[in-house]
Every structure is written in structure tokens, then in C-alpha cells.
Amino acid sequence: MRAQLQTSGGLFLRRPDPPITIEVDALVEADRREFARLVREARFFELPANVPAHRGAYAQTYWITIEDGDREHTVAERFGPALRHPRIVGL
């Protein structure tokens, strides 16, 4: 399993940052299990590609991509500092 996070926007309307990639299979077993549990409980692969947007001056966009075997899914979420979709906040 592989996870990737990328952000852009915010106070200075930054361009997208380089993505951060986590090779989940390289983590210790307890962390692999915990990450897999979070993905499963979030029903990440069932989330829409674009989570309903927050329209604020300082909103940031987060892209989370998870690859698991032959499955790959990316979710984009735009939110301000205090607004997060409850199903992906743990990720």
C-alpha cells in the first residue's frame, strides 16, 4: 500500500507542494495495521473524488491518494483551518 498527500492554497495561495509519499508496506507491522484500519474505517475508496468545498479566503486543498494493490483512489478536499471531512481526518 502507498499513500500520497499534497497541499496547495492557504493564506498566500501557494502552488501545490511536492507530494509526500508514504510506503505503508515499509512501516512496522503495527503502523501498517493501523493505517489499513483507518483507510477501511474511512471507507476511503468509496469517498467522492471531490469532497464538498469550503469557500474561504484561506482555504487549502488537500489531495490524498491511496494505492492498494490494483486499486487507486484520489480525494481532493478544500477546507479552512477548522473544517475537515470526518471520514478522512484520521488519515
Side-chain angles (χ1 to χ4, degrees):
M1 184 182 294
R2 173 183 293 149
Q4 192 172 71
L5 173 68
Q6 190 170 21
T7 64
S8 72
L11 180 59
F12 299 106
L13 300 174
R14 296 187 335 245
R15 294 177 190 240
D17 292 331
I20 297 169
T21 301
I22 300 169
E23 297 292 342
V24 178
D25 293 337
L27 299 175
V28 296
E29 184 177 343
D31 291 341
R32 283 193 312 263
R33 282 195 311 249
E34 176 67 6
F35 191 85
R37 182 188 68 76
L38 291 170
V39 170
R40 187 175 52 255
E41 286 182 5
R43 297 186 314 230
F44 183 83
F45 290 97
E46 299 171 25
L47 288 171
N50 291 294
V51 174
H54 169 74
R55 301 198 196 295
Y58 305 117
Q60 280 193 287
T61 301
Y62 288 74
W63 293 273
I64 301 173
T65 301
I66 296 181
E67 300 172 27
D68 187 16
D70 61 346
R71 297 187 303 170
E72 180 178 324
H73 186 57
T74 300
V75 173
E77 181 178 26
R78 181 175 168 90
F79 57 84
L83 181 64
R84 293 193 168 108
H85 192 286
R87 283 177 49 193
I88 64 173
V89 72
L91 297 173

